[in-house]
Amino acid sequence: MARPRKPLLSADRIVAAALVLVDEEGLDAVSTRRLAAELGVSGPSLYNHFRTKDQILEAVADAVSAQVDLSMFEDGRDWRRALHDWAVSYREALTAHPHLVPVLARGPGRRPAGLRLADAVFGAMVAAGWPPAQATSIGALMRYFVLGSALGSFAGGFVDDVSAYDPADYPHLGQAHLLAERQEQIDARAFETGLSALLDGLALQHARSTGAGTPS
Amino acid sequence: MARPRKPLLSADRIVAAALVLVDEEGLDAVSTRRLAAELGVSGPSLYNHFRTKDQILEAVADAVSAQVDLSMFEDGRDWRRALHDWAVSYREALTAHPHLVPVLARGPGRRPAGLRLADAVFGAMVAAGWPPAQATSIGALMRYFVLGSALGSFAGGFVDDVSAYDPADYPHLGQAHLLAERQEQIDARAFETGLSALLDGLALQHARSTGAGTPS
DNA sequence: ACCTGAACACCGTTCAAGT
DNA sequence: ACCTGAACACCGTTCAAGT
């Protein structure tokens, strides 16, 4: 075929197809040949639009990061509520594409949407009166919690098989095989419990450091 | 050579060599051929001891999980202090082998050490008076936080390059390129801040649910 | 039982060739 | 500029053959 008069591919089309493939069949299914086939071209064609396969995945990760809502840092919401709403939006974006979390976990690097996200949180915390060093910590620790919660479900990590949990070995895991079933609910509840605890704890600290305010 | 009178390989030797390889060159460096070469045998030999490459990595992950200290749940320590010390030990075990975190993140599955870990936390929280559903949440959310903090350093995720952070795009990231340098310190501080906040918040909740006690 | 080399169906990436 | 097929150096895994 050689060069068509109208390009068959574009960075956006490649990213979109890669996201579908990741969601449907996991990270391992994304090979350059497979992805190209999905787009109706041959493997090496992708290299006209991205320098490496890794850069394709980075672009996919950035597209997902871009879906995280940041508007709560702009209106007048107090820092605690803003942080809560942001964490919820962040987690939703990631759990919609669980196979991609290991890629996102590599850090914002040079991904624009990832950086915008880090920038918004940091700026909002400083504006709320947190010292810069604390604002950095908050950005980091919220990221830890959200990524951790999206990466590998806790409940889904257990096997749906009674015999896997011999009571002699694990005296307290008698109900563990049930976790797999109610996976989503258990992960969602643990996330909310942890997020509330985190924000309660930060509010205590904020009250102490500004010497005023009533926490919780 | 064929079968030697004394086996050249053992599961333990393979796991140990794989851990060294992961630590020194990352997950991608662990191929069956490369790992076998490191052990002085040919690639397919490994399949006499493990059914798949993935099971080798699971075994490596379990070996690392086994290094997490669980003794704090046995002596008389109060739940809050036990949880703190456990989280610190957990994080230390993981940050010693950062490349392995994505494997650990798949969940305890059938890995004995991973299950022992989940069992110990759950049991200790129930013993401390938490209702079972809450104890499950605590096990999950602590795991989120520790895994998230070990998986991809926050500070290390930024690029050590001023030009990456155009102030027009990211008004608050003027110092971001400095994060890469002081990576470990920043991650360690964010972890401690987050862990304290988490425990403060949980203590508040514990006090509320048992209707007594003075938190923090 | 435990190792070997050969083989299969894959990879990511480069590159000269085509329009 | 943007696609192609061929090629290179890899993969994970299977299997018959050797002792």
Side-chain angles (χ1 to χ4, degrees):
Chain A
M1 175 181 299
R3 173 162 121 91
R5 54 181 48 175
K6 199 164 181 306
L8 297 174
L9 252 35
S10 70
D12 283 350
R13 275 199 70 216
I14 294 171
V15 167
L19 182 55
V20 170
L21 202 49
V22 171
D23 285 345
E24 289 180 355
E25 308 190 33
L27 257 187
D28 287 345
V30 184
S31 74
T32 55
R33 293 188 219 299
R34 174 72 197 280
L35 177 55
E38 219 70 48
L39 287 158
V41 298
S42 82
S45 304
L46 302 175
Y47 290 83
N48 287 297
H49 304 269
F50 289 96
R51 269 192 17 223
T52 62
K53 173 187 159 178
D54 207 72
Q55 293 210 342
I56 298 176
L57 291 175
E58 288 286 307
V60 175
D62 204 51
V64 169
S65 294
Q67 301 196 18
V68 179
D69 186 12
L70 297 177
S71 64
M72 62 284 287
F73 293 124
E74 289 157 16
D75 55 33
R77 244 170 285 193
D78 70 287
W79 67 268
R80 191 194 153 137
R81 176 164 217 91
L83 219 45
H84 176 275
D85 295 349
W86 169 72
V88 168
S89 168
Y90 196 177
R91 178 174 185 266
E92 273 170 8
L94 302 198
T95 49
H97 311 283
H99 298 305
L100 207 63
V101 179
V103 179
L104 280 153
R106 291 178 204 157
R110 295 177 185 273
R111 286 185 264 118
L115 291 171
R116 209 148 37 225
L117 201 143
D119 183 68
V121 183
F122 180 77
M125 292 308 108
V126 169
W130 287 97
Q134 289 297 325
T136 300
S137 284
I138 292 176
L141 67 90
M142 291 297 289
R143 187 182 137 86
Y144 298 158
F145 186 66
V146 173
L147 278 185
S149 76
L151 174 89
S153 145
F154 173 79
F158 289 86
V159 179
D160 186 6
D161 173 359
V162 210
S163 70
Y165 309 106
D166 187 326
D169 294 331
Y170 317 110
H172 313 294
L173 295 187
Q175 308 295 315
H177 65 104
L178 300 176
L179 290 175
E181 288 177 27
R182 304 193 300 125
Q183 186 178 140
E184 276 180 48
Q185 194 190 114
I186 286 166
D187 280 309
R189 182 176 304 173
F191 178 75
E192 260 308 329
T193 300
L195 181 55
S196 297
L198 222 30
L199 295 173
D200 281 347
L202 288 176
L204 277 176
Q205 201 186 316
H206 192 258
R208 270 199 296 269
S209 74
T210 61
T214 59
S216 174
Chain B
M1 175 183 299
R3 172 160 120 93
R5 53 181 49 174
K6 200 168 181 303
L8 297 174
L9 253 33
S10 70
D12 282 350
R13 274 199 70 216
I14 294 172
V15 167
L19 183 55
V20 170
L21 202 47
V22 170
D23 285 345
E24 289 180 353
E25 308 189 35
L27 258 187
D28 288 345
V30 185
S31 75
T32 54
R33 291 185 222 289
R34 174 71 196 282
L35 176 55
E38 219 71 46
L39 287 158
V41 298
S42 82
S45 303
L46 302 174
Y47 290 82
N48 286 298
H49 304 268
F50 289 95
R51 268 194 16 226
T52 61
K53 173 186 158 180
D54 208 71
Q55 293 210 342
I56 298 176
L57 290 176
E58 289 286 308
V60 176
D62 205 50
V64 169
S65 294
Q67 301 196 17
V68 179
D69 186 12
L70 297 176
S71 65
M72 62 284 286
F73 294 123
E74 289 157 16
D75 54 33
R77 243 171 286 193
D78 69 288
W79 68 268
R80 191 193 155 138
R81 176 164 216 91
L83 218 44
H84 175 275
D85 295 349
W86 169 71
V88 168
S89 168
Y90 197 178
R91 177 173 186 267
E92 273 170 8
L94 301 198
T95 51
H97 311 284
H99 298 305
L100 208 62
V101 179
V103 179
L104 281 152
R106 290 178 206 158
R110 294 174 184 276
R111 286 184 263 118
L115 290 171
R116 208 147 38 227
L117 201 143
D119 184 68
V121 182
F122 180 77
M125 291 308 108
V126 169
W130 287 97
Q134 290 297 325
T136 300
S137 284
I138 293 176
L141 67 90
M142 291 298 288
R143 187 182 137 87
Y144 298 158
F145 186 66
V146 173
L147 278 185
S149 76
L151 174 88
S153 145
F154 173 79
F158 290 85
V159 180
D160 187 5
D161 174 1
V162 209
S163 69
Y165 309 105
D166 187 327
D169 294 331
Y170 317 111
H172 313 294
L173 296 186
Q175 309 293 314
H177 64 103
L178 300 175
L179 291 175
E181 287 176 28
R182 304 192 300 125
Q183 187 178 140
E184 277 180 47
Q185 196 190 112
I186 287 167
D187 281 309
R189 182 175 305 171
F191 178 75
E192 261 307 329
T193 301
L195 181 55
S196 297
L198 222 31
L199 296 173
D200 281 347
L202 288 175
L204 277 175
Q205 201 187 315
H206 192 258
R208 270 199 297 267
S209 76
T210 62
T214 58
S216 176

